[in-house]
Amino acid sequence: MIAKLAAQTLRMRLRSILIWSLSLSALTVLMVAIFPSIGKIDFEQLLKQYPKAMLEAFGIEDTSQYSTPIGYINAELFSMMIPLAIAFLPLGVINQCLPAAEERHFLDNLLCTPVARWQVLAGAAVAGATALATVLFAVWAVTLLAAELLDVNLGMADLARSCVSLWPLASFVASVGALMAGFGPGRGRALGAAGGVLVLMYMLPVIAAFDHSFAQAQKLSVFYYYNDWLKHGIDWSEAVAVLAAAAALTAIGAVLFERRDIAS
Amino acid sequence: MNGSESVIETHGLSKHFGRHRGIEDVSLSVRRGEVFGLLGPNGAGKSTAIRLLLGLIRPSAGSGSVLGLDCWRARRAIHRRVGVLPSDFAYEDMLTGREVIDFFRRLRGLPADGRADELAERLRADLDRPLKQLSRGNHQKIGLIQALVHDPELLMLDEPTGGLDPLMQEEFLRIVEELRDDGRTVLLSSHNMAEVERACDRVAMIHQGGLLAVETVDSLLSRAPRHLRVTFDGPADAAPFAALDGVRDVRATGNSVEMDVAGDINGALKLATARHVVDLVCERPSLEHAFVRLYEDEDSGGEL
């Protein structure tokens, strides 16, 4: 049942998935295309002039990272712009399947079939995670192809690591949307809460770089781990823990969704 | 299965939305094989009652069962056996009617058996156009097909003929009659009194969230006032008629006098025939008339 619901959702969101894939791929391809000219700039010398805390705040531990294509793309796109943007893809899928569907009375129809409410929520979560994986794969494939054509040595595994790192992060943010959908109707509320959590989590490591009293608190942020995965490779135990937290929030959302009234 | 078996039962069923009333202390029973109508003005609580029975919302008090199953705890088992047309419903606009019906059929684990095409032909529904290109009436037809396609033993239809043209309303009524003949149960809410009068065996009238009456249509009509119009050979006087018990809304115009007579009509007839009567018309009350009168009486604290 969950697979049927997820498949139908993905079919309905095909155009959106395509647009996300094209937009993000265009962005990464642009970065690959301009790297040969950017790479000539001595960023290492330039960045050494900045305060250490400021560099840490922007996830720049190693000033030589701008000298490699993957380091440049990670710093320019994967450290902030792409994670903040792509988290809204699975979140949007969940939002469309639950609060938005509730507002336009599609849920009334769907929940009058022998489908459990938790299955509707799980189907939305699976569809969101699959859409995310599809877009990340497209970005990876298109960027690699462009790098090959432009003769830029990007590194298949390095780019894969950056793309795969986004999956737990965005899944976690989407799970906040699933939790909010369990609480009650209102797509603005789910989007607002999940967006707020996303920004807060992004800001925690940034604040911790300036104020060390936040050193422990930043560990509550998925970005703390994500930033580390970008630099040092994915720590799979951490990734599993983030995904487990996302699953737990989704499960709580499902329990709440089973118990609440469907808005008329 | 016997005809007196209850398919729907509610006991003191109530629903409040914060400080707002949904329905209050509704107890009723719908028997297998009957067509049961829920009547009431907008906001009376008809849709709330149906949503409670479908387990979309949780009762604040009381209980309800559908097909012997608790309407909140066993809602999924109920949904397997029920066909539903919600009052407000929507599908993905880019899908065609056929795709929508196929999706719901797959969710029910049913094979394609041509039933959707058969119903589409009867209701003259176009299953192959995207829903965004369909009018409200044609959209409604897709909803009806989706509710009927799995041949459910119980149908719950909230305003089923909204947007349908008179020909399709007629076809819908024929389908309901066939379902009843086949032993299936239909619960429908409607504003269309003529439709309810024709289709329903019994009706529940809901007023401000409470149950006003549950009666057969015939009984309701027999209790409703008849409209009497008498024409004399000279000027008519309303006053003697207005003084009679059970007579109201008396109006004299020229040689004619009109009135509504509740209960025994003999008093009015005797008074009329004391003079030379040129013409006399006694109209059978419509359900709409009965409905309006019952509501007026309730609002004024009187009796029918």
Side-chain angles (χ1 to χ4, degrees), chain B residues 4 13 141 165 205 225 249 298:
Chain B
S4 62
L13 193 61
K141 290 175 189 175
D165 63 51
M205 292 197 171
D249 296 342
E298 178 66 18

Side-chain angles (χ1 to χ4, degrees), chain A residues 88 91 95 173 176-177 180 186-199:
Chain A
F88 284 90
L91 178 61
N95 216 33
V173 175
V176 177
M180 293 311 292
R187 54 183 144 175
R189 188 166 67 166
L191 272 178
V197 166
L198 177 69
V199 172

Side-chain angles (χ1 to χ4, degrees), chain B residues 107-133:
Chain B
L107 290 181
R108 290 185 177 278
L110 299 171
D113 58 1
R115 171 88 171 133
D117 286 307
E118 187 188 305
L119 287 163
E121 201 176 320
R122 289 191 69 172
L123 292 167
R124 295 185 201 164
D126 186 348
L127 294 182
D128 297 313
R129 279 172 66 188
L131 296 182
K132 63 183 167 194
Q133 293 177 11

Side-chain angles (χ1 to χ4, degrees), chain A residues 157-177:
Chain A
D158 288 338
L159 184 62
R161 185 183 68 200
S162 301
C163 290
V164 171
S165 298
L166 283 168
W167 199 73
L169 180 138
S171 297
F172 181 84
V173 175
S175 72
V176 177

Side-chain angles (χ1 to χ4, degrees), chain B residues 227-228 236-238 248-253 256-260:
Chain B
H227 186 70
L228 193 66
D237 181 11
R248 56 204 282 184
D249 296 342
V250 185
R251 214 157 18 103
T253 318
S256 295
V257 61
E258 289 183 63
M259 68 205 84
D260 284 342

Side-chain angles (χ1 to χ4, degrees), chain A residues 98-252:
Chain A
L98 295 162
E102 189 169 2
E103 279 176 15
R104 60 193 170 84
H105 301 292
F106 175 67
L107 274 192
D108 276 20
N109 282 80
L110 188 59
L111 296 177
C112 287
T113 63
V115 179
R117 294 185 186 187
W118 70 265
Q119 289 174 324
V120 174
L121 194 139
V126 168
T130 309
L132 177 64
T134 307
V135 171
L136 291 173
F137 177 77
V139 169
W140 175 77
V142 171
T143 311
L144 271 187
L145 184 67
E148 194 64 32
L149 292 172
L150 296 164
D151 202 23
V152 173
N153 184 18
L154 195 55
M156 188 188 287
D158 288 338
L159 184 62
R161 185 183 68 200
S162 301
C163 290
V164 171
S165 298
L166 283 168
W167 199 73
L169 180 138
S171 297
F172 181 84
V173 175
S175 72
V176 177
L179 177 70
M180 293 311 292
F183 273 112
R187 54 183 144 175
R189 188 166 67 166
L191 272 178
V197 166
L198 177 69
V199 172
L200 189 69
M201 286 199 160
Y202 175 76
M203 290 306 293
L204 260 177
V206 175
I207 294 166
F210 289 104
D211 183 346
H212 291 290
S213 62
F214 283 86
Q216 288 303 313
Q218 69 173 332
K219 291 180 182 172
L220 292 171
S221 163
V222 182
F223 272 93
Y224 172 79
Y225 306 100
Y226 170 76
N227 292 338
D228 198 49
W229 300 339
L230 280 188
K231 287 170 209 151
H232 308 115
I234 301 171
D235 179 326
W236 292 105
S237 60
E238 287 174 0
V240 167
V242 170
L243 287 171
L249 290 181
T250 307
I252 295 169

